[in-house]
Amino acid sequence: MDVFFQILASGLTLGAVYAISTVGLALVFGAMNMLNMSHGALMALGGYMAWFTMTGLGLPPVAGMLVAVLVCAGVGVLIYLLIAGPMLRSEGFETRVFIATIGFGAMLESVILMAFGPQPKPQPLAVQGGLSVAQVHLPVQNLLILALAMVLMAALALLLQKSRIGRAIRATAQNRDAARLMGVRVGMVYALVLAISGGLAAVSGITVSSLSSLLPNMGGDPMLKAFIICVVAGLGRVPGSVVAALFIGLFEAVVQYTVGVRFSFASLLLLVIVVLIWKPQGVFGRHQGVRL
Amino acid sequence: MSDDLVISDLAAGYGHQSVLHDLTLRAQAGRLTAIIGPNGHGKTTLLRAISGLIAVRTGEIRLGADRISGLPAEAVVARGIVHVPQGDLLFPDMTVLENLRMGAFLPAAARQEKTVLEEVYTLLPKLRDRENQIARTLSGGERRMVGIGRGLMASGRVLMLDEPSLGLAPIVIEQIYEVIAGLRRAGRSILLVEENAMRAAAIADQVHLLDHGTLNWSGTGAELSGRPELLETYLGV
Ligand SMILES: Nc1ncnc2c1ncn2[C@@H]1O[C@H](COP(=O)(O)OP(=O)(O)O)[C@@H](O)[C@H]1O
Ligand SMILES: [Mg+2]
């Protein structure tokens, strides 16, 4: 029984970390058919910005989080202005923006490497200590990550479903021309979506580095997993990707406990293959196009 | 007068392809103006140029005192030109009500949303029953009604309808045209694009024939009915 709860707890934490990194990616793909390959670099940037604000400038954790989110949201807008926006009307947008963001991500990573060096750094935005509930040991950090993920997902769902700007985002995702005919300024929507995604990448980078450490290329693996989760859920399905993230976190925790850590990535890929044979559009995907 | 839609020497197209040229047209306020013409001759392109979905290359479009040409689509609808596109272009994963509410997205329309929604439901009662249905699951006729209803929600000055009868069963076409006739009686300014020339002639105050990207003939619906050679040459009737 204790083992069961231990696996459940670590699986959910893993899932929560994945969920934060995945929804940003799914949101951008759902709204504008864009695979943002610089998402991993944005995660690293967020992690380092929190480190810089707290360790470098000596400011409190709240400031660290805020600076990281704002800087990465700003870089998200920059990606719109410099890359996605100018390409939007061109033919083959999906391929071009895919390649361009690989380049942008590599540049961003190099800048981080030059600014902060190649040695791993500890993430200061982390909480020590643990809670023991009925023989189950839970690090406070993990509980915080879980709570943070839940709050962020709820806020995003509220934004998308209830607010005027959320309606504009969904409308743009479902039919760009129709949204324009309703008076939606789709350029603003795209910039905003990339800003939100950037902010989420920052939070994600902080959580990931708080569980391991800061490295300029720390975003690579989480981004790869986020893509896997997006594909499993069906590209662009935002709520579906949260469910898939939690499921895959649990799956990984079970595999790690039963067959061993070194098999976890291989079994994840096996799962993806099975899912894609069973449902090529992803579990929550649909045949035509992309929907939020 | 002050709310006439006036198009002068318009040229527009896609990429290297020029579709419309030397197109001059006045759609009078409070009237139903129909554009007819064979498939692929630029009717949809004309509406897309007016609503700002594609760029105007030369020439000018005005609505009353406002210059419309050169504005992006989101600014054109704010000036009161509402485009109900060919093929409806609904938001497929939104409900009927959410689609209708998107029509009143701009602040000016949003302020009157409740009143106008009641008017739309009175005109298209079926939409009230289907309020919570996801648009993707509607029938073709129901989709068309949502498309028109969504356009009405914008409370615009000019309503542009692109092929409202396209792909529908005869009974449903009848229903849709009753709705359009009702809007005409209510004194709305309507620009109707229709491939079916006889349908358009029966309802329009003015008919214009679009042929190879420019207007070739203009007259009243009755005049068109008296010109069988036109119908035969251009529309294969
Ligand atoms: N998105 C587009 N890109 C390039 N060419 C287009 C596009 N849409 C329409 N066309 C071309 O423009 C011409 C006019 O099309 P259209 O305005 O749709 O005609 P209609 O509505 O009268 O059937 C056609 O030759 C068509 O192939
Ligand atoms: Mg057409």
Side-chain angles (χ1 to χ4, degrees):
Chain A
M1 223 34 198
D2 303 345
V3 170
F4 172 77
F5 282 112
Q6 201 71 62
I7 293 175
L8 188 70
S10 63
L12 284 178
T13 311
L14 217 50
V17 172
Y18 293 162
I20 301 173
S21 53
T22 307
V23 283
L25 221 50
L27 185 67
V28 170
F29 191 83
M32 50 202 294
N33 245 2
M34 163 176 171
L35 281 178
N36 181 10
M37 294 302 289
S38 57
H39 201 72
L42 278 167
M43 290 170 63
L45 181 67
Y48 275 96
M49 281 300 122
W51 178 87
F52 176 72
T53 311
M54 291 176 65
T55 309
L57 302 178
L59 293 172
V62 182
M65 180 71 93
L66 210 65
V67 168
V69 167
L70 288 179
V71 167
C72 288
V75 174
V77 174
L78 212 62
I79 292 175
Y80 172 74
L81 292 176
L82 297 181
I83 302 173
M87 287 182 184
L88 214 49
R89 278 156 206 265
S90 68
E91 226 151 280
F93 167 75
E94 287 84 350
T95 320
R96 287 188 194 201
V97 85
F98 177 82
I99 294 166
T101 51
I102 291 178
F104 184 79
M107 265 164 48
L108 196 54
E109 246 180 64
S110 307
V111 170
I112 294 171
L113 184 66
M114 286 198 301
F116 299 102
Q119 301 81 14
K121 295 187 193 315
Q123 174 56 264
L125 196 59
V127 186
Q128 304 305 321
L131 263 148
S132 285
V133 187
Q135 269 106 63
V136 184
H137 176 75
L138 299 168
V140 174
Q141 179 70 11
N142 292 23
L143 291 174
L144 271 179
I145 289 175
L146 201 56
L148 186 66
M150 275 158 54
V151 169
L152 282 177
M153 298 307 116
L156 187 65
L158 269 179
L159 176 86
L160 284 177
Q161 293 302 322
K162 300 290 175 207
S163 73
R164 182 177 136 88
I165 189 71
R167 288 202 297 143
I169 294 174
R170 283 187 298 139
T172 306
Q174 292 177 30
N175 196 318
R176 174 163 67 167
D177 275 351
R180 296 187 64 200
L181 290 178
M182 307 296 113
V184 174
R185 288 154 72 184
V186 298
M188 296 283 278
V189 166
Y190 289 156
L192 182 78
V193 160
L194 277 164
I196 295 173
S197 172
L200 286 166
V203 178
S204 166
I206 291 171
T207 58
V208 168
S209 56
S210 76
L211 296 174
S212 52
S213 62
L214 282 166
L215 275 172
N217 64 355
M218 57 167 268
D221 270 6
M223 180 170 77
L224 187 59
K225 280 194 183 148
F227 274 126
I228 290 174
I229 293 164
C230 276
V231 169
V232 166
L235 276 166
R237 314 291 309 183
V238 172
S241 67
V242 175
V243 176
L246 290 174
F247 174 79
I248 284 186
L250 285 168
F251 175 82
E252 221 181 308
V254 169
V255 171
Q256 283 177 0
Y257 180 80
T258 52
V259 265
V261 173
R262 70 211 148 96
F263 294 109
S264 82
F265 197 63
S267 23
L268 197 58
L269 291 176
L270 192 67
L271 179 80
V272 175
I273 293 169
V274 172
V275 166
L276 290 184
I277 290 172
W278 168 54
K279 277 201 148 190
Q281 263 69 43
V283 179
F284 304 98
R286 265 196 219 103
H287 282 272
Q288 16 87 307
V290 191
R291 299 290 129 79
L292 271 188
Chain B
M1 264 304 276
S2 65
D3 256 6
D4 288 0
L5 178 67
V6 181
I7 299 168
S8 337
D9 297 318
L10 176 74
Y14 306 90
H16 297 295
Q17 188 191 2
S18 140
V19 177
L20 303 174
H21 57 92
D22 304 318
L23 194 147
T24 295
L25 167 76
R26 175 184 288 264
Q28 284 184 300
R31 298 287 175 82
L32 196 157
T33 306
I35 314 276
I36 58 171
N39 204 351
H41 280 221
K43 303 184 296 299
T44 297
T45 305
L46 172 60
L47 294 198
R48 289 170 64 85
I50 298 172
S51 64
L53 283 178
I54 60 169
V56 165
R57 290 186 178 165
T58 54
E60 193 187 53
I61 305 171
R62 288 183 167 276
L63 177 62
D66 291 337
R67 191 190 151 104
I68 298 299
S69 41
L71 297 178
E74 49 274 22
V76 172
V77 62
R79 303 292 191 289
I81 297 188
V82 181
H83 180 178
V84 178
Q86 181 175 333
D88 307 322
L89 306 192
L90 300 185
F91 302 112
D93 286 343
M94 293 190 187
T95 63
V96 167
L97 180 60
E98 281 180 304
N99 266 281
L100 293 175
R101 290 191 58 213
M102 275 312 296
F105 180 77
L106 289 172
R111 278 192 289 277
Q112 317 175 41
E113 189 185 288
K114 287 226 163 59
T115 341
V116 180
L117 183 64
E118 276 311 308
E119 289 169 24
V120 169
Y121 280 161
T122 312
L123 199 68
L124 302 158
K126 204 165 187 184
L127 296 189
R128 194 195 297 273
D129 310 330
R130 297 298 168 113
E131 207 175 59
N132 295 315
Q133 192 170 331
I134 301 289
R136 189 171 6 89
T137 65
L138 296 169
S139 74
E142 289 160 355
R143 275 173 212 225
R144 195 63 38 86
M145 288 180 196
V146 175
I148 294 172
R150 188 180 65 177
L152 292 172
M153 290 296 292
S155 308
R157 291 148 72 190
V158 178
L159 186 66
M160 304 198 297
L161 301 170
D162 196 350
E163 308 251 17
S165 69
L166 191 73
L168 299 182
I171 317 180
V172 187
I173 296 180
E174 218 55 59
Q175 292 170 357
I176 297 283
Y177 265 85
E178 260 167 48
V179 172
I180 298 172
L183 292 171
R184 175 176 176 262
R185 279 194 300 276
R188 311 275 304 224
S189 310
I190 300 172
L191 187 59
L192 171 71
V193 160
E194 184 57 83
E195 212 186 298
N196 185 335
M198 295 325 291
R199 274 260 157 237
I203 196 173
D205 296 299
Q206 273 292 315
V207 184
H208 302 272
L209 174 64
L210 184 63
D211 173 42
H212 288 100
T214 196
L215 291 187
N216 182 297
W217 180 89
S218 300
T220 63
E223 282 164 5
L224 179 68
S225 309
R227 296 284 298 273
E229 81 282 6
L230 270 183
L231 298 177
E232 206 169 316
T233 313
Y234 293 108
L235 305 158
V237 179

